Amino acid sequence: MNELDIEAVADPDLRDPVLVEGLPGVGHVGKLAADHLVEEKESELVRRVYSEHLPPQVSVSDDGTTELACAEIHAVELEDRDLLVLTGDHQASDNAGHYRLTGAFLDAAESFEVETVYALGGVPTGELMDEYAVVGAATDADFVAELEDAGVEFREDEPAGGIVGTSGLLLGLGERRGLRATCLMGETSGYLVDPKSARAVLEVLEDVLGFEVNFDSLEERAEEMEDVANKIQEMENQQSGMPSDENLRYIG
Amino acid sequence: MNELDIEAVADPDLRDPVLVEGLPGVGHVGKLAADHLVEEKESELVRRVYSEHLPPQVSVSDDGTTELACAEIHAVELEDRDLLVLTGDHQASDNAGHYRLTGAFLDAAESFEVETVYALGGVPTGELMDEYAVVGAATDADFVAELEDAGVEFREDEPAGGIVGTSGLLLGLGERRGLRATCLMGETSGYLVDPKSARAVLEVLEDVLGFEVNFDSLEERAEEMEDVANKIQEMENQQSGMPSDENLRYIG
Amino acid sequence: MNELDIEAVADPDLRDPVLVEGLPGVGHVGKLAADHLVEEKESELVRRVYSEHLPPQVSVSDDGTTELACAEIHAVELEDRDLLVLTGDHQASDNAGHYRLTGAFLDAAESFEVETVYALGGVPTGELMDEYAVVGAATDADFVAELEDAGVEFREDEPAGGIVGTSGLLLGLGERRGLRATCLMGETSGYLVDPKSARAVLEVLEDVLGFEVNFDSLEERAEEMEDVANKIQEMENQQSGMPSDENLRYIG
Amino acid sequence: MNELDIEAVADPDLRDPVLVEGLPGVGHVGKLAADHLVEEKESELVRRVYSEHLPPQVSVSDDGTTELACAEIHAVELEDRDLLVLTGDHQASDNAGHYRLTGAFLDAAESFEVETVYALGGVPTGELMDEYAVVGAATDADFVAELEDAGVEFREDEPAGGIVGTSGLLLGLGERRGLRATCLMGETSGYLVDPKSARAVLEVLEDVLGFEVNFDSLEERAEEMEDVANKIQEMENQQSGMPSDENLRYIG
């Protein structure tokens, strides 16, 4: 295997495609959102990206067969246009790998003449929440204005520390290639896998890209997570009256 | 030295060889099983693989001479066919190294026209056990079915987190080269070097590959380990009645 | 993107330029000093250096737009000569990266015919201080003598452990290319971002390079930091009478 | 700079030279011994080895001038033959670096037609000691026998875990190039820089290579260290009666 290996699974003609990325991250918001699009809409796997910069492992399916760690790009059919949706179970395992994998993702997207990139993710608030704002950042001021019209919030000093990993580099490296790119980050506690935050991000995407998606399965998942959160809060209340970071850290 | 260096020690003609891997891992199950085959059967060292991705060290033999860290491939003569058995004291020391070393192992195996790979290992159960199931995963559904007939168990969501390291990549990279590959994992507490689990794995291999091997030395080793485990349990019982993970972690 | 990417933003003619480096480090002394020169004097961005050896991230500006992690080189106009000032928010994220990025910085400087390098930084004293000596090290004895005349102190065994990171390599690699280089290190507690130490370093630079710079904004910043330090000391005094390393560690 | 850079400082004709290595390690035994030879005998610096695999730093001399991290090879003149003595302040900072730097050291040694390598080091015993055995390992049985005649002890299972770093690879990679190599390890507590252990190692070397060296300066250093050790032991005795690993760890 080479350091990076892009396997071309299919080469459909796509209508004005944009790249949507949802790899694991804060609250798994981006991953939940991207996986939801692939599951709910007509979709077709078009690329697999293998790399030495992904963890050295195979996953095991329910039927006992294995699959080498990879990132996948799916063509997703919307009402008026198509998406390329980047999904997977892993971020790169080292710094240079983040740069090289993101470069490979952009190469694949550009082979489908993508000009715009939507990186999806979460921004941690540190507290359980009822309403989910979507915070944004983008490569240029026009894109910022356009997303503000769709309800995305742009806040000074947020996210503090910038945007790291694949999402950040899709903007940083994308801009250097002349692409427009944004990162849409749903607010989330940071403690739990957060389907409600994923829905908030997808609703922005619906508005901006002009499509509709059914949220039933995401709502079911959200209710399951709420049950988990409530149980934890109950246990906590019996003890100290407040959920602690320690106990809630990443349950999902 | 190059990044990877495959030293060809011998090039015997082999009868329909398969690759069997047993590098260090959970309970040292795979290593114990592979070393047992090399010791009990007629065997000949055919390849040494040196690499910058192995730890920078030499081991010292009882006679005071040294050997550079390497992985070894032995030709092992069974009743009706031959094996290539991969053994060694080290896994790769970095992620990319896992990919590159596994690639080198597969290159060596393919130079002997190997078409099937058996990666041997352990799956941790977290408790001391009396019976040792062998859990499997494989590159294709036919191989899964074939191994199920030999008593291998295929379980949903097990091993959780997939199969990492050389064993995982022998399946992941092997499949990409068109090889059939399986990982056979003996159940083991995860706390102790486990010759009984190694025997369980070898018994599946006997069945699948049609050979017999004497288990006396492995049984002796198992009895020694049992003495160790009993002593620990006694000490523990005097204190808290139950062995703790802390105290049992990797004795062997 | 390549492993290292030097973007030529502008190519002005410069008068006898020297390179001044101020990347993040102890007390952010070097960074404060270098940023201050770029802000107070006529300056023009001439180079951006991108690299896989910088963290995989973008920063987000107040207007919501993003910028890929990079180091910047600015041409700064002084009374009688020009400077190239190296600034940025990151050191290299790995050892080899320090060597390669510093090599790129020196390549860029040499393309402007730089012959002398001033690396700016801080040297930790472990205690809050009233007076700020500037400690030095240089590539050759003549340069040491010249800097001693300007009040720089050269002390046996200081800094203990040598000079690490970009500052150290600008001397080490610079010397191997035939450049003269010095590291000027302002004494600083090591606990707080230290604008006063940055001023002390700049005053040496004023003397050596023959220019004057207004320190008002740096003084304001210093007063803010003093307020922070005083509050901490008050809180501490109410408790134990002395500021502790734990509580003061890197506030800024 | 390249990944590895061997600077040829001088190219004297040497009489039947062997390579002696003494880089930092357990008790700094090897480094003390190698530095002692360079200081006590006629010696000349012949090679500097720079590398990205050494830490990114410069050391500062007492006169304020700096030197880039490097390893040095000195020609040392003995009564009947010459040595090449490898010294320095650093081991490689990563695994592959150990392989590549050791390869460079061997390249340099072979350019002087070296056929035999003596790696010097310490083996930790975990307790303060009065007598200092020298434990050995070597690339071939003849060399083992020869060194046993000189009083070197070869012990089963010692050093446990093999020999790591440059010393280990000088044997491992040296053997692959057809060189004879040994590692001579002075017993040492492992807590203190140990000039007495260094003397023990040098006495073996005197015997094997047929030379004599004055030990006065090493003895002085040993007395200083003994004073330090006694003071620590006194302080300890006032408290618990025994020196603890915690307090003695690496004082020098």
Side-chain angles (χ1 to χ4, degrees):
Chain A
M1 203 179 84
N2 298 315
E3 187 191 355
L4 283 164
D5 234 336
I6 303 181
E7 183 188 342
V9 180
D11 272 303
D13 284 326
L14 301 181
R15 296 163 302 152
D16 191 19
V18 301
L19 178 65
V20 174
E21 172 262 339
L23 293 177
V26 180
H28 278 216
V29 174
K31 179 172 167 55
L32 285 170
D35 285 350
H36 188 71
L37 286 175
V38 171
E39 282 155 23
E40 291 292 322
K41 296 287 178 180
E42 283 293 313
S43 70
E44 178 185 15
L45 178 64
V46 297
R47 294 286 184 277
R48 280 198 196 91
V49 181
Y50 298 100
S51 173
E52 288 177 359
H53 298 287
L54 291 173
Q57 68 179 83
V58 290
S59 58
V60 183
S61 306
D62 285 350
D63 69 353
T65 61
T66 53
E67 187 180 30
L68 180 58
C70 68
E72 294 182 342
I73 299 177
H74 307 262
V76 170
E77 196 176 322
L78 300 186
E79 287 77 349
D80 301 315
R81 74 187 314 163
D82 295 325
L83 306 180
L84 285 172
V85 179
L86 171 63
T87 64
D89 291 330
H90 309 283
Q91 292 271 349
S93 51
D94 61 285
N95 271 8
H98 278 292
Y99 281 89
R100 295 187 191 177
L101 274 166
T102 305
F105 299 150
L106 289 170
D107 287 347
E110 289 192 303
S111 76
F112 286 98
E113 295 181 10
V114 160
E115 292 172 3
T116 312
V117 179
Y118 294 83
L120 310 185
V123 60
T125 61
E127 48 194 33
L128 297 173
M129 33 204 335
D130 293 323
E131 297 200 18
Y132 294 80
V134 174
V135 177
T139 47
D140 63 282
D142 287 352
F143 206 178
V144 169
E146 193 179 308
L147 291 161
E148 265 180 331
D149 290 347
V152 177
E153 297 185 16
F154 290 81
R155 300 174 182 168
E156 277 190 27
D157 283 328
E158 202 167 326
I163 304 169
V164 299
T166 305
S167 291
L169 289 185
L170 283 170
L171 278 76
L173 298 179
E175 183 181 22
R176 297 200 71 215
R177 292 174 180 229
L179 302 175
R180 302 170 83 210
T182 181
C183 186
L184 301 175
M185 293 160 277
E187 286 188 323
T188 178
S189 68
Y191 306 131
L192 294 150
V193 168
D194 196 338
K196 285 203 169 171
S197 181
R199 177 176 181 159
V201 168
L202 283 173
E203 285 171 346
V204 168
L205 215 58
E206 284 182 324
D207 187 1
V208 176
L209 297 177
F211 71 95
E212 286 188 7
V213 66
N214 184 305
F215 287 115
D216 290 353
S217 67
L218 214 50
E219 280 305 306
E220 273 172 44
R221 187 79 195 277
E223 278 162 33
E224 288 168 26
M225 288 312 302
E226 228 148 89
D227 289 349
V228 171
N230 287 338
K231 270 177 206 152
I232 292 167
Q233 212 144 11
E234 258 172 53
M235 292 190 303
E236 287 293 324
N237 288 344
Q238 290 169 358
Q239 289 168 22
S240 67
M242 276 290 292
S244 78
D245 284 24
E246 290 302 306
N247 296 324
L248 290 180
R249 186 153 298 279
Y250 260 83
I251 297 153
Chain B
M1 203 179 85
N2 298 313
E3 188 191 355
L4 283 165
D5 233 336
I6 304 181
E7 183 189 342
V9 180
D11 273 303
D13 284 327
L14 301 181
R15 297 162 301 153
D16 191 19
V18 300
L19 177 66
V20 174
E21 173 261 341
L23 293 177
V26 181
H28 278 214
V29 174
K31 178 172 167 56
L32 285 170
D35 286 349
H36 188 71
L37 286 175
V38 172
E39 283 155 22
E40 290 293 324
K41 296 288 178 180
E42 282 293 313
S43 69
E44 178 185 16
L45 179 63
V46 296
R47 294 285 185 276
R48 282 198 195 91
V49 180
Y50 297 100
S51 173
E52 290 177 357
H53 298 288
L54 291 172
Q57 68 178 84
V58 289
S59 58
V60 183
S61 305
D62 286 351
D63 68 354
T65 61
T66 53
E67 187 180 29
L68 180 57
C70 68
E72 294 182 341
I73 300 177
H74 306 262
V76 171
E77 196 176 323
L78 300 186
E79 286 77 348
D80 301 315
R81 72 186 317 161
D82 296 323
L83 306 180
L84 284 173
V85 179
L86 170 62
T87 64
D89 292 329
H90 309 283
Q91 293 270 350
S93 50
D94 61 284
N95 271 8
H98 278 292
Y99 281 89
R100 295 186 191 178
L101 273 166
T102 305
F105 299 149
L106 290 170
D107 286 346
E110 288 192 303
S111 76
F112 286 98
E113 295 180 10
V114 161
E115 291 172 4
T116 312
V117 179
Y118 294 84
L120 309 185
V123 61
T125 60
E127 48 193 34
L128 298 174
M129 34 206 332
D130 293 323
E131 296 201 19
Y132 294 80
V134 174
V135 177
T139 46
D140 63 283
D142 287 353
F143 206 177
V144 170
E146 194 179 309
L147 291 161
E148 265 179 331
D149 291 346
V152 177
E153 296 185 19
F154 291 82
R155 299 174 183 168
E156 276 191 28
D157 283 327
E158 202 166 327
I163 305 169
V164 299
T166 304
S167 292
L169 289 186
L170 283 170
L171 279 75
L173 298 179
E175 183 181 22
R176 296 201 70 216
R177 292 174 180 230
L179 302 176
R180 302 171 81 210
T182 180
C183 186
L184 302 175
M185 293 160 277
E187 286 188 322
T188 178
S189 68
Y191 307 131
L192 294 150
V193 168
D194 195 339
K196 286 202 169 170
S197 180
R199 177 174 182 160
V201 168
L202 283 173
E203 285 172 345
V204 168
L205 214 58
E206 285 182 324
D207 187 2
V208 176
L209 297 178
F211 71 95
E212 285 189 7
V213 65
N214 185 306
F215 286 115
D216 290 353
S217 67
L218 215 49
E219 280 305 305
E220 273 172 45
R221 186 80 195 276
E223 277 162 33
E224 288 168 26
M225 288 311 303
E226 230 148 88
D227 288 349
V228 171
N230 287 337
K231 271 177 204 152
I232 292 166
Q233 214 146 9
E234 258 173 52
M235 291 190 303
E236 286 293 324
N237 288 345
Q238 290 168 358
Q239 288 167 23
S240 68
M242 275 292 290
S244 77
D245 284 24
E246 290 302 306
N247 297 323
L248 290 181
R249 183 153 301 279
Y250 260 83
I251 297 152
Chain C
M1 204 180 84
N2 298 315
E3 188 193 355
L4 282 165
D5 233 336
I6 304 181
E7 183 189 343
V9 179
D11 272 303
D13 283 328
L14 300 181
R15 296 164 302 153
D16 192 18
V18 300
L19 178 65
V20 174
E21 173 262 339
L23 292 177
V26 180
H28 277 215
V29 174
K31 178 172 169 53
L32 285 171
D35 286 349
H36 188 71
L37 286 176
V38 171
E39 284 155 21
E40 291 292 322
K41 296 288 179 182
E42 283 294 312
S43 69
E44 178 184 16
L45 178 64
V46 297
R47 293 286 186 279
R48 281 199 195 90
V49 180
Y50 298 100
S51 173
E52 289 177 358
H53 297 287
L54 291 172
Q57 67 178 82
V58 290
S59 58
V60 183
S61 306
D62 286 351
D63 68 353
T65 62
T66 52
E67 189 181 29
L68 181 58
C70 69
E72 294 181 342
I73 300 178
H74 307 262
V76 170
E77 197 177 321
L78 299 186
E79 285 78 347
D80 302 315
R81 73 187 315 161
D82 296 324
L83 307 180
L84 284 172
V85 179
L86 171 63
T87 64
D89 291 330
H90 309 282
Q91 292 271 349
S93 51
D94 61 283
N95 272 7
H98 277 293
Y99 281 89
R100 295 187 192 178
L101 273 166
T102 305
F105 300 149
L106 290 170
D107 287 347
E110 288 192 303
S111 76
F112 287 98
E113 296 181 11
V114 160
E115 291 172 4
T116 312
V117 178
Y118 295 83
L120 310 184
V123 60
T125 60
E127 47 194 35
L128 298 173
M129 33 204 335
D130 293 322
E131 297 199 19
Y132 294 80
V134 174
V135 178
T139 46
D140 63 282
D142 287 352
F143 206 177
V144 169
E146 193 179 310
L147 291 161
E148 266 180 331
D149 290 346
V152 177
E153 296 185 17
F154 291 81
R155 300 176 183 166
E156 274 190 29
D157 281 329
E158 202 167 326
I163 304 169
V164 298
T166 305
S167 290
L169 290 185
L170 283 170
L171 279 75
L173 298 178
E175 183 180 22
R176 297 200 70 216
R177 291 173 181 230
L179 302 175
R180 301 171 82 210
T182 180
C183 187
L184 302 175
M185 293 160 277
E187 286 188 324
T188 178
S189 68
Y191 307 132
L192 295 149
V193 167
D194 195 339
K196 285 203 169 170
S197 181
R199 178 175 181 158
V201 168
L202 284 173
E203 285 172 345
V204 167
L205 215 58
E206 284 183 324
D207 188 2
V208 176
L209 297 177
F211 71 95
E212 286 190 7
V213 66
N214 185 303
F215 287 115
D216 290 353
S217 67
L218 214 51
E219 279 306 303
E220 273 172 46
R221 186 80 195 277
E223 277 163 35
E224 288 167 26
M225 288 312 302
E226 229 148 87
D227 288 350
V228 170
N230 287 337
K231 271 178 205 153
I232 292 167
Q233 212 144 11
E234 258 172 54
M235 292 190 304
E236 286 293 323
N237 287 345
Q238 289 169 359
Q239 288 169 22
S240 68
M242 275 290 292
S244 78
D245 284 26
E246 289 302 306
N247 296 323
L248 291 181
R249 184 154 299 279
Y250 259 83
I251 297 155
Chain D
M1 202 179 86
N2 298 314
E3 188 191 355
L4 283 165
D5 233 337
I6 304 181
E7 183 188 341
V9 179
D11 273 303
D13 284 327
L14 301 180
R15 296 163 302 154
D16 191 18
V18 300
L19 177 66
V20 174
E21 173 263 340
L23 293 178
V26 180
H28 278 216
V29 174
K31 178 171 167 55
L32 286 170
D35 286 349
H36 188 71
L37 286 175
V38 172
E39 284 155 21
E40 291 292 322
K41 294 288 179 182
E42 283 293 314
S43 69
E44 178 185 16
L45 178 65
V46 297
R47 294 285 185 278
R48 283 200 194 89
V49 181
Y50 298 101
S51 172
E52 289 178 358
H53 298 287
L54 292 172
Q57 69 178 82
V58 290
S59 58
V60 183
S61 305
D62 286 351
D63 68 354
T65 61
T66 53
E67 189 180 31
L68 180 58
C70 69
E72 295 182 340
I73 301 177
H74 306 262
V76 170
E77 196 177 321
L78 300 185
E79 286 77 348
D80 301 316
R81 72 188 315 164
D82 296 323
L83 307 180
L84 284 172
V85 179
L86 170 63
T87 63
D89 291 330
H90 309 283
Q91 293 270 349
S93 50
D94 60 284
N95 271 9
H98 278 293
Y99 280 90
R100 294 187 193 179
L101 274 166
T102 305
F105 300 149
L106 291 170
D107 287 346
E110 288 192 303
S111 76
F112 286 98
E113 295 180 11
V114 161
E115 292 172 3
T116 313
V117 179
Y118 294 83
L120 310 184
V123 60
T125 61
E127 48 193 35
L128 298 174
M129 35 205 332
D130 293 323
E131 297 200 19
Y132 295 79
V134 174
V135 177
T139 46
D140 63 283
D142 287 353
F143 206 177
V144 169
E146 194 179 309
L147 291 161
E148 264 179 332
D149 291 346
V152 177
E153 296 186 17
F154 290 81
R155 300 174 183 168
E156 275 191 30
D157 283 327
E158 203 168 327
I163 304 169
V164 298
T166 305
S167 291
L169 290 186
L170 283 170
L171 279 75
L173 298 179
E175 184 180 20
R176 296 202 69 215
R177 291 173 181 230
L179 303 175
R180 302 171 81 209
T182 180
C183 186
L184 302 176
M185 292 159 279
E187 286 188 323
T188 178
S189 67
Y191 307 132
L192 295 149
V193 168
D194 196 338
K196 285 204 169 170
S197 181
R199 178 176 180 158
V201 169
L202 283 173
E203 285 171 347
V204 168
L205 215 58
E206 284 183 323
D207 187 2
V208 177
L209 297 177
F211 71 96
E212 287 190 6
V213 66
N214 185 305
F215 287 115
D216 290 351
S217 67
L218 216 50
E219 279 307 304
E220 273 172 45
R221 186 80 194 277
E223 278 163 34
E224 288 167 27
M225 288 311 303
E226 229 148 88
D227 289 349
V228 171
N230 287 337
K231 271 178 206 153
I232 292 166
Q233 213 145 10
E234 259 172 52
M235 291 190 303
E236 287 294 324
N237 288 344
Q238 289 169 358
Q239 288 167 21
S240 68
M242 274 292 290
S244 78
D245 284 24
E246 291 301 307
N247 297 322
L248 290 181
R249 183 152 300 279
Y250 259 83
I251 296 155

